[in-house]
């Protein structure tokens, strides 16, 4: 099988070098390019079409949010992991809304970085459910230029899919959702897939952001709101 291709985007050369050493020690991961700012990241992504971009949130010339938006729009097969120094960076939610598949803290363990890249390369997200809730509870109420002007209609969902979306936004895993709703985990996965398909979403993180943007779940309290 071909290796997972990765682009490293960070304005600090030592950070990029450290990530490269970690990743190139893995037989199934190949670093195909580096970028020192957002503009370079967009250009190098177009040139190499990597499976995953590790994107610093704060860079000169073009930040990670804008670069993520451009990359996701023009390279739908490329998945972006946001890198941040702070585990509750206010710009992270903007990046998730722009299409990032999750975020990692730079000083996290090396094995977490490697496993996150493998996870995202399969089309899944790298935010743990409870981390998703903690992050969005703090920042979902903040105004964002990347938030949709008109929330999508929720009536395209079945009643059960609506229940699952609420549970996702509460930070529950598939197993926890199944237990909460009295259905099997395989059925939960099917409902999640239908939700993503109906709204054209990339992963469950995007579904959580949508739930908050639509007012289905109230920020901070995570109590269900009336979708009508």
């Amino acid at each position: 099988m071909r290796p997972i291709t990765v682009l490293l985007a960070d304005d600090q050369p030592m950070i990029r070098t450290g990530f490269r050493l970690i990743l190139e020690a893995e037989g199934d991961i190949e670093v195909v390019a580096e970028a020192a700012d957002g503009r370079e990241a967009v250009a190098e992504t177009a040139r190499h079409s990597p499976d995953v971009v590790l994107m610093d949130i704060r860079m000169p010339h073009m930040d990670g949010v804008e670069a993520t938006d451009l990359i996701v729009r023009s390279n739908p097969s490329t998945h972006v992991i946001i890198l941040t120094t702070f585990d509750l960076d206010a710009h992270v939610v903007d990046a998730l809304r722009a299409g990032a598949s999750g975020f990692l803290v730079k000083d996290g363990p090396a094995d977490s970085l490697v496993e996150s890249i493998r996870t995202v390369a399969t089309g899944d997200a790298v935010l743990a459910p409870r981390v998703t809730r903690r992050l969005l509870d703090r920042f979902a109420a903040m105004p964002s230029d990347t938030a949709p002007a008109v929330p999508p209609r929720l009536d395209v969902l079945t009643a059960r899919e609506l229940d699952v979306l609420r549970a996702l936004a509460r930070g529950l895993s598939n197993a926890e959702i199944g237990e909460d709703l009295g259905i099997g985990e395989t059925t939960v996965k099917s409902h999640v897939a239908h939700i993503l398909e109906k709204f054209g979403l990339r992963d469950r993180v995007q579904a959580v952001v949508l739930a908050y943007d639509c007012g289905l779940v109230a920020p901070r309290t995570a109590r269900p709101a009336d979708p009508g």
Side-chain angles (χ1 to χ4, degrees):
M1 296 179 63
R2 75 173 185 84
I4 300 167
T5 54
V6 177
L7 185 151
L8 305 176
D10 195 294
D11 60 335
Q12 299 182 51
M14 290 183 65
I15 294 290
R16 298 198 306 271
T17 298
F19 285 150
R20 179 181 281 274
L21 289 174
I22 292 171
L23 298 178
E24 289 188 340
E26 304 295 323
D28 61 335
I29 298 176
E30 178 186 0
V31 177
V32 294
E34 297 184 15
D37 58 55
R39 287 192 302 213
E40 284 188 14
V42 173
E44 291 299 312
T45 298
R47 183 174 296 115
H48 296 280
S49 297
D51 298 312
V52 178
V53 175
L54 290 181
M55 179 79 73
D56 187 16
I57 195 76
R58 301 173 184 271
M59 293 183 291
H61 307 305
M62 180 187 294
D63 64 24
V65 176
E66 184 177 357
T68 295
D69 181 59
L70 292 173
I71 286 172
V72 169
R73 290 176 185 273
S74 59
N75 301 273
S77 63
T78 295
H79 300 273
V80 178
I81 299 175
I82 292 294
L83 297 168
T84 178
T85 305
F86 309 101
D87 67 347
L88 287 178
D89 191 316
H91 297 288
V92 169
V93 168
D94 288 336
L96 295 178
R97 287 193 174 109
S101 294
F103 89 102
L104 293 173
V105 181
K106 287 184 179 181
D107 61 359
D111 57 350
S112 176
L113 172 68
V114 172
E115 288 308 311
S116 294
I117 287 173
R118 290 174 178 148
T119 298
V120 165
T122 66
D124 207 343
V126 298
L127 280 177
R130 299 196 187 284
V131 174
T132 304
R133 177 176 175 179
R134 183 165 65 98
L135 183 72
L136 294 180
D137 278 355
R138 180 165 177 176
F139 294 118
M142 298 178 62
S144 170
D145 292 338
T146 55
V150 180
R153 293 176 59 88
L154 294 175
D155 58 7
V156 300
L157 300 178
T158 66
R160 180 58 82 191
E161 288 167 352
L162 202 57
D163 290 338
V164 170
L165 181 56
R166 283 196 185 96
L168 284 175
R170 287 166 51 206
L172 302 184
S173 67
N174 286 347
E176 291 170 330
I177 293 171
E179 183 177 354
D180 189 52
L181 298 180
I183 57 179
E185 188 172 349
T186 300
T187 303
V188 174
K189 291 180 180 179
S190 178
H191 286 314
V192 172
H194 291 158
I195 292 168
L196 300 184
E197 181 180 2
K198 288 181 177 181
F199 290 117
L201 304 174
R202 293 164 66 90
D203 51 50
R204 64 193 294 127
V205 173
Q206 299 296 302
V208 173
V209 173
L210 177 141
Y212 277 84
D213 284 341
C214 291
L216 182 62
V217 175
R220 305 181 187 277
T221 62
R223 288 179 299 187
D226 183 357

